Amino acid sequence: MPPMIQAKNLWKTYGENVVLEGLNVTVEEGEFITMVGTSGCGKSTFLNMLLGTQSCSKGELLLDGQPIPAEPGPDRGIVFQQYSVFPHMTVLENVMAAKAFARKGLTGYLFGSARREAKEEATAILNQVGLSHALNKYPHELSGGMKQRLAIAQALLGKPRILLLDEPFGALDPGIRADMHELVLNLWREHKLTVFMVTHDLKEGFYLGTRLWVFDKLRQDPQAPGAYGASITYDLAVGQMGKKIYEEIDDNLRPVVEVV
Amino acid sequence: MQRMINMAPGRSLNLMLALLPFALLLLLYIVASDARLAENANDKLLPSFAQMGDAVQRMAFEPSKRTGEYLLWVDTASSLTRLGLGVLIAAVLGLLIGMLTGALPMIGAGVSPLLTVISLVPPLALLPVLFIVFGLGELSKVVLIAVGITPFIARDIQRRTEEIPAEQLVKAQTLGANTMQILIRVVLPQLLPKLIDAVRLSLGAGWLFLIAAEAIASTDGLGYRIFLVRRYLSMDVILPYVAWITLLAFLLDIALAWLSRRLFPWNTQGGR
Ligand SMILES: Nc1ncnc2c1ncn2[C@@H]1O[C@H](COP(=O)(O)OP(=O)(O)O)[C@@H](O)[C@H]1O
Ligand SMILES: [Mg+2]
């Protein structure tokens, strides 16, 4: 069987600007990958290629041995840092919409028994993410953390195999983030997901998942910052890493952050 | 001394400041009208409020000698029907064109340039064409209003459609939605409050086209009436009619704002 995700000499360029160069990785079903790297080094770009909203410039990105479809689809769920939920639907409607969109049909509305079933399922998952007290609220009435819980519940009800998270907790208070970590870990285990999560918080990346990727440029040309792209410079199994390597990566990321 | 930029009126002062210009204008009018009437009791330019009251009594509460109708109400009904129909057609067309060109790049590529050019055509210059094509009846007036404001609404809705965050469209796709489902459940509901906003903004133009069309070819309507009595210099009729039209426009606007707040509680920056 081919690995679930395989990148073969993957390049991404925007005109002259090389963003990613020569990525070679494989990912098996059930892994929880966290991705860190300086801002603008191409983490979101890689995630968008998995999502199908961007295509690679050179090389291949395979899902189950086949090129990733060029459009988003129900096998790959996503939670963005913001704008992930529909502002005109209540919490319950937001999640029920996931069930409605999963069916064929022109309008995306549910009726009769399908509606009742969707409501039950939606209520159950909202219970699981801790939103059962806010079923009839609109997103603008929710806190940042509650919005992200909603976005996660919505993505899960789409029954994806892969869950993509692009800095999902970047805008949240540190205290709330710990709760969210626990939530994501529980859902990952229970729903047997493969997770790709971008984070700007190295600690989060170090301790949350099963595998950490550090995106960085191997070569730098100060005269032409776009001449070389980033690739994965560290690919580590979480749990086997000590304090020393943490500090090493931290040092690699920090100085560039301060310049930006 | 506080800076001017930091000084704000309190509640009652605010009300007073708001009413003051109206009171001043009223006073100015009364003084000027009295002065002219004292000089020449038959002066028509600035009728007294008593004269205007008589005119309103005649137009609104006494049957017309010629037709037996209560003219103000007949005029109001005809004008509002024309305006309502024209705006309704423009809203539906504008919503459809704006949504489809904004959400579907293939349609946008074909229609947007045309829309831009059409929106530059002065609608009133088309009025003769409409009269020739649709005749002098109701249809051409309704069409003028629709033609006049559809491009504005369509372009506004197109921009609003493009402003919907791409994240939402991607999210819907990751939940399995097809294009039709995205249009109907994600895009359209978010455009409806924007449509009400666009209609509110275009009502002023709607009134303009209505009155212009009624002035040129009509047998009733608010615009028809004021242009008709202009021949007799009947300021005592014209001024109350203008005030009445202004009041109608104001009521329409706040009714739409109320409707928007009522129907779309999730739309946090709408309905004001
Ligand atoms: N649509 C685009 N067109 C041109 N350049 C882009 C586009 N999207 C991203 N880039 C560039 O690609 C680089 C990587 O962006 P991104 O993947 O968003 O970085 P990050 O690691 O912060 O998520 C940035 O330099 C950005 O300017
Ligand atoms: Mg990013």
Side-chain angles (χ1 to χ4, degrees):
Chain A
M1 246 191 40
M4 187 181 209
I5 295 288
Q6 190 168 19
K8 290 186 182 168
N9 191 30
L10 184 73
W11 287 68
K12 180 69 190 178
T13 53
Y14 288 108
E16 296 282 277
N17 185 11
V18 183
V19 177
L20 294 173
E21 62 175 56
L23 248 63
N24 284 296
V25 277
T26 57
V27 177
E28 298 297 337
E29 183 130 30
E31 292 196 71
F32 188 139
I33 292 165
T34 50
M35 306 189 251
V36 297
T38 50
S39 172
C41 73
K43 305 177 299 290
S44 295
T45 302
F46 183 73
L47 219 60
N48 287 338
M49 285 196 269
L50 289 170
L51 187 60
T53 54
Q54 283 173 11
S55 55
C56 50
S57 315
K58 241 198 290 179
E60 282 183 306
L61 187 59
L62 305 176
L63 168 64
D64 298 325
Q66 302 294 319
I68 292 234
E71 277 191 322
D75 52 344
R76 289 153 289 147
I78 177 102
V79 174
F80 295 105
Q81 186 170 9
Q82 51 179 349
Y83 304 127
S84 262
V85 296
F86 304 120
H88 57 294
M89 299 183 195
T90 63
V91 167
L92 188 62
E93 285 167 349
N94 254 289
V95 181
M96 284 172 67
K99 293 308 283 182
F101 288 152
R103 297 159 64 99
K104 295 214 168 52
L106 279 184
T107 65
Y109 283 93
L110 291 171
F111 304 99
S113 65
R115 191 182 153 80
R116 268 194 306 281
E117 277 165 36
K119 192 168 174 180
E120 263 168 40
E121 236 182 293
T123 312
I125 192 120
L126 283 168
N127 224 342
Q128 202 182 354
V129 301
L131 281 180
S132 48
H133 59 288
L135 296 185
N136 295 315
K137 288 208 160 110
Y138 285 102
H140 75 87
E141 301 170 288
L142 303 181
S143 69
M146 288 162 84
K147 258 186 236 173
Q148 291 308 73
R149 285 168 190 271
L150 173 59
I152 291 171
Q154 193 185 36
L156 284 180
L157 215 57
K159 300 257 182 290
R161 295 168 63 207
I162 301 174
L163 184 60
L164 307 169
L165 304 162
D166 195 348
E167 305 201 19
F169 314 136
L172 304 186
D173 293 336
I176 299 170
R177 265 194 242 172
D179 292 347
M180 300 299 286
H181 291 163
E182 200 173 325
L183 174 69
V184 168
L185 282 176
N186 286 338
L187 294 172
W188 165 63
R189 285 191 202 103
E190 187 181 327
H191 295 263
K192 306 200 165 36
L193 298 164
T194 308
V195 176
F196 292 83
M197 174 167 137
V198 175
T199 171
H200 62 240
D201 179 355
L202 181 58
K203 253 210 194 85
E204 197 171 84
F206 233 71
Y207 298 111
L208 193 56
T210 60
R211 186 173 172 188
L212 170 74
W213 289 351
V214 179
F215 282 72
D216 205 355
K217 293 188 180 186
L218 282 173
R219 302 174 285 177
Q220 287 275 7
D221 182 348
Q223 257 66 52
Y228 299 110
S231 52
I232 297 175
T233 52
Y234 289 85
D235 181 352
L236 304 165
V238 169
Q240 304 169 2
M241 312 177 292
K243 201 171 158 68
K244 196 160 153 283
I245 199 155
Y246 178 95
E247 277 161 8
E248 188 181 312
I249 297 172
D250 200 31
D251 280 349
N252 278 345
L253 296 179
R254 255 330 132 71
V256 191
V257 172
E258 275 159 14
V259 171
V260 165
Chain B
M1 176 74 186
Q2 227 183 349
R3 287 180 187 82
M4 191 70 178
I5 203 165
N6 292 325
M7 281 164 34
R11 227 184 137 76
S12 48
L13 182 59
N14 197 345
L15 190 69
M16 256 173 62
L17 287 177
L19 292 179
L20 188 63
F22 291 100
L24 283 179
L25 270 180
L26 214 61
L27 190 69
L28 191 68
Y29 182 89
I30 291 173
V31 169
S33 161
D34 276 356
R36 281 187 76 101
L37 287 171
E39 210 156 283
N40 171 11
N42 291 324
D43 181 70
K44 300 206 114 187
L45 193 64
L46 299 178
S48 69
F49 276 89
Q51 289 171 314
M52 288 194 267
D54 286 346
V56 171
Q57 170 72 22
R58 212 164 3 91
M59 301 303 290
F61 306 110
E62 287 167 18
S64 142
K65 293 200 183 64
R66 212 163 50 77
T67 59
E69 288 168 330
Y70 293 83
L71 290 178
L72 177 70
W73 308 116
V74 173
D75 288 338
T76 304
S78 317
S79 287
L80 285 185
T81 308
R82 289 170 191 143
L83 184 69
L85 273 177
V87 169
L88 187 71
I89 294 171
V92 171
L93 281 180
L95 177 65
L96 282 178
I97 297 171
M99 178 171 82
L100 294 178
T101 52
L104 306 174
M106 286 295 227
I107 294 187
V111 178
S112 292
L114 178 67
L115 190 61
T116 308
V117 171
I118 288 181
S119 70
L120 294 174
V121 178
L124 278 180
L126 286 179
L127 190 55
V129 180
L130 298 181
F131 281 146
I132 292 169
V133 176
F134 297 111
L136 295 178
E138 291 304 301
L139 188 58
S140 54
K141 300 179 195 64
V142 171
V143 172
L144 175 69
I145 297 169
V147 166
I149 60 182
T150 299
F152 168 79
I153 295 183
R155 299 222 296 174
D156 190 64
I157 293 297
Q158 178 183 29
R159 230 191 40 245
R160 300 302 190 162
T161 308
E162 287 162 356
E163 277 171 12
I164 294 177
E167 284 91 339
Q168 286 182 28
L169 309 183
V170 170
K171 179 81 177 213
Q173 294 177 65
T174 63
L175 300 174
N178 58 37
T179 300
M180 203 61 191
Q181 290 175 333
I182 293 176
L183 286 182
I184 291 181
R185 278 224 72 182
V186 181
V187 178
L188 181 62
Q190 297 193 59
L191 291 180
L192 291 180
K194 311 294 184 199
L195 180 64
I196 291 189
D197 289 348
V199 165
R200 283 174 70 194
L201 285 177
S202 55
L203 269 178
W207 280 103
L208 168 70
F209 298 133
L210 173 74
I211 290 171
E214 285 180 344
I216 294 171
S218 192
T219 54
D220 60 3
L222 299 165
Y224 163 76
R225 192 69 52 198
I226 53 181
F227 274 82
L228 180 74
V229 302
R230 175 195 60 92
R231 288 183 220 159
Y232 320 112
L233 298 180
S234 297
M235 286 293 268
D236 56 337
V237 174
I238 295 177
L239 290 181
Y241 258 67
V242 171
W244 176 237
I245 293 173
T246 309
L247 180 68
L248 287 176
F250 175 70
L251 292 178
L252 265 181
D253 187 63
I254 57 174
L256 285 172
W258 175 84
L259 192 70
S260 176
R261 277 197 306 274
R262 198 60 212 266
L263 292 179
F264 313 111
W266 50 268
N267 183 36
T268 44
Q269 75 266 26
R272 263 166 281 273

